[in-house]
Amino acid sequence: MLLSEMRSERTENERDGMIEYKNITKRYGKNIGVEDVNIRIEDGEFIFLVGPSGSGKSTFVKLLLKLIDADKGGILYNGYDVTKLTPRKIPGHRRSMGIVFQDFSLLPKKTIYENVAFAMEIIQRPKRTIERQVPQVLELVGVADSARKYPHEISIGEQQRVAIARAIMNNPKVLIADEPTGNLDPETGWEIMRLLDQINRRGTTVLMVTHSREIVNAMSKRVVAIKDGRLVRDELGGFYHPEEDDEPAPSPEGALPL
Amino acid sequence: MTGFGVALKQAFSQINRNKMMTTASLFSITAILLVLGVFFLIVVNINNMAEGIKQDFDKIQVYLLDEVAPQQSEEMMAQIRGFSGVDTVSYLPREEALDQWKVKWGENADLLDRMPTNPLPNSIIIMVTNLDYANAIVEQVVPMEGIEQVNYSQDAVDKLLRITRIIQIVSLIIILALVAISILVVSNTIKLTVLAREREIVIMRYIGATNWFIRGPFLLEGIIIGAIAAVIGSVAVGAIYYYVVGHFGMDLALFLPNGFVPFDFMVANLLIIFLSLGICVGACGSIISMRRFLER
Ligand SMILES: Nc1ncnc2c1ncn2[C@@H]1O[C@H](COP(=O)(O)OP(=O)(O)OP(=O)(O)O)[C@@H](O)[C@H]1O
Ligand SMILES: [Mg+2]
């Protein structure tokens, strides 16, 4: 009885995919990226990261992927400190995460199928596994019909779905999406949002950077707001606050579209 | 192994897609290898000549006065054998010395026959194990009794040693400079393919490809360029050498003791050196050009 309690307590603290930022600071010369950030993200959570342009949202997620190095602090994940990873361990770390970034687009000279298969080839998965799984994932994100097409032959919304397919291809514990609905019309943005929610329901932790007031307000998830590199708000079932956007505050009707 | 196959395929398609630049850098490296090769030919032959000339100098000839009796010369030889650096000591009677001259003079030997008496003295021939000992041996021999003259040109040997050393140092500097230039040329070519594939590389990094996986095709591209340049360079330098040896080999053999270094030996070594050099240059060039795109 006692033993099982202890065991459950330990797994509570060291669960796979749990992320904890501890006093993380990152500056670019004089520019502040993020400043003294502390946050804990539980396994399987869905988090919106919001804030004005230049507030440090991309910096926040890039630190987690070790695409950039922190100046101070640590990021605990999977039982190790991400900031202390040696170059040899970085690839393995990134393989446990899926990424949907704007500067991480599809390859124009590869078909949809090849773009997704590429993600598995890179980490040297067997050919047979690739052939079995790519159609399944394309089916899951709803672009199976376009498998043979090239990125320019499909809509931007579909391209984003393919990017998501590529990101979840290797069964990541965490999915990081930096403005995945950024240049989409609201309708398509919502489709992408639903897809990410669906992936989260399957157990994947999702960290989504967004400027979309409508989506944040409607989803009622954990909202983390960042301003000038500092976390200024962290609440469950949170809303999008007008002062956290760079655009002028909208009319009351506009704030509640649903 | 399949990973290697994929990288190899990728490397060839990169070369194919970037034909212009690959050809340009292939030419530059081949040109550099050509200069390097011609230089190599000259240096190896000069070294070879120097070795040949040195061989003439590891001999010290001690002319004896006519009144030295055979008994006394035996004692002198025994004493000389005790000096360090002495390989062999032998006695050359004046008649034999004259015969050697006659052989050397060839058709003009009858001039020697017309002489009333043999002008040459008896001598002791000292072979030294190493040129460095020669001076010390000469210094010990000169004060001995019954010696007319010690024949050994120290100046010439010193000069020769100095010249060969200078040639070796200069050649090393030039070779290093040329190697550095060719690494630069390769790295610039590969930087272009890297830039053309930058998006792919970013994706690979983000998804978690290892540095060696990303580097593989570029490394092979560099190695292939280097190896092809090495083969072309060897053939070209070989052709030049073949021509030179064919046209001037006979003339040179007359007044140089060793003549040219044999063609086969030279070309085989050249190919090995060029291949290892080309592969190293290609690999270094590609690793340098990729540095900023990879995990540090
Ligand atoms: N590579 C860099 N070099 C210098 N400064 C940088 C660099 N990347 C980001 N910054 C600066 O750091 C700050 C935070 O940038 P970051 O990209 O994290 O903001 P963001 O919240 O993602 O903005 P956006 O909403 O526009 O994407 C900004 O002031 C930005 O100018
Ligand atoms: Mg950003």
Side-chain angles (χ1 to χ4, degrees), chain B residues 9-185:
Chain B
K9 219 173 96 187
Q10 185 72 53
F12 275 111
S13 98
Q14 275 164 208
I15 288 172
N16 192 40
R17 225 180 297 170
N18 203 2
K19 267 186 223 116
M20 276 293 289
M21 207 44 214
T22 306
T23 314
S25 75
L26 209 60
F27 266 112
S28 327
I29 297 169
T30 307
I32 291 169
L33 286 181
L34 214 65
V35 176
L36 212 66
V38 169
F39 202 71
F40 177 79
L41 295 181
I42 294 169
V43 168
V44 170
N45 273 297
I46 286 179
N47 271 339
N48 185 47
M49 285 176 207
E51 279 306 315
I53 294 168
K54 263 195 225 166
Q55 240 134 61
D56 276 1
F57 283 108
D58 55 12
K59 186 174 86 179
I60 301 170
Q61 190 162 20
V62 182
Y63 292 120
L64 300 175
L65 294 173
D66 285 347
E67 61 262 30
V68 173
Q71 167 68 20
Q72 194 189 342
S73 61
E74 283 297 325
E75 282 165 15
M76 290 169 79
M77 285 166 69
Q79 202 183 338
I80 291 169
R81 280 195 189 93
F83 300 158
S84 57
V86 172
D87 188 17
T88 59
V89 179
S90 54
Y91 185 76
L92 182 69
R94 58 199 316 176
E95 298 77 27
E96 229 175 277
L98 187 66
D99 287 343
Q100 285 184 5
W101 273 66
K102 281 181 184 165
V103 172
K104 251 190 212 167
W105 284 32
E107 354 181 301
N108 301 325
D110 53 324
L111 288 175
L112 290 170
D113 283 336
R114 273 184 246 152
M115 287 193 160
T117 52
N118 183 350
L120 300 171
N122 293 322
S123 56
I124 294 172
I125 307 288
I126 308 167
M127 302 300 285
V128 300
T129 54
N130 188 321
L131 275 184
D132 297 338
Y133 290 111
N135 286 336
I137 295 171
V138 170
E139 274 167 31
Q140 285 170 287
V141 171
V142 169
M144 291 169 84
E145 291 275 320
I147 287 171
E148 188 190 316
Q149 194 192 337
V150 177
N151 204 353
Y152 177 72
S153 38
Q154 186 201 331
D155 279 1
V157 171
D158 282 351
K159 227 175 255 171
L160 187 72
L161 288 178
R162 215 174 309 133
I163 290 171
T164 39
R165 198 140 306 148
I166 289 171
I167 289 172
Q168 280 161 355
I169 291 170
V170 170
S171 61
L172 194 72
I173 292 171
I174 293 180
I175 286 170
L176 287 179
L178 291 177
V179 167
I181 292 171
S182 38
I183 288 178
L184 217 72
V185 170

Side-chain angles (χ1 to χ4, degrees), chain A residues 82-100:
Chain A
V82 175
T83 62
K84 293 200 171 66
L85 283 176
T86 57
R88 306 187 87 237
K89 296 236 169 95
I90 292 175
H93 169 64
R94 295 203 186 126
R95 285 175 197 192
S96 72
M97 307 198 164
I99 311 168
V100 183

Side-chain angles (χ1 to χ4, degrees), chain B residues 257-274:
Chain B
N258 289 15
F260 276 114
V261 175
F263 174 81
D264 297 348
F265 172 83
M266 194 67 132
V267 169
N269 277 294
L270 209 63
L271 186 65
I272 292 168
I273 292 172
F274 275 13

Side-chain angles (χ1 to χ4, degrees), chain A residues 6 35 62 101 127 141 230 249 254:
Chain A
M6 275 172 61
E35 186 78 23
K62 281 180 178 167
F101 270 22
K127 210 174 166 196
V141 301
R230 291 180 181 275

Side-chain angles (χ1 to χ4, degrees), chain A residues 67 87 90-91 94-95 99 101 103-108 119 122 166, chain B residues 3 17 199-200 202-211 213 295-296:
Chain A
L67 290 169
I90 292 175
R94 295 203 186 126
R95 285 175 197 192
I99 311 168
F101 270 22
D103 60 344
F104 177 56
S105 48
L106 300 176
L107 294 169
I122 286 170
R166 184 179 60 188
Chain B
R17 225 180 297 170
R199 284 167 95 180
E200 259 172 278
V202 168
I203 291 173
M204 288 195 244
R205 281 186 62 208
Y206 281 23
I207 288 177
T210 59
N211 277 355
F213 182 87
E295 248 43 78
R296 50 287 118 179

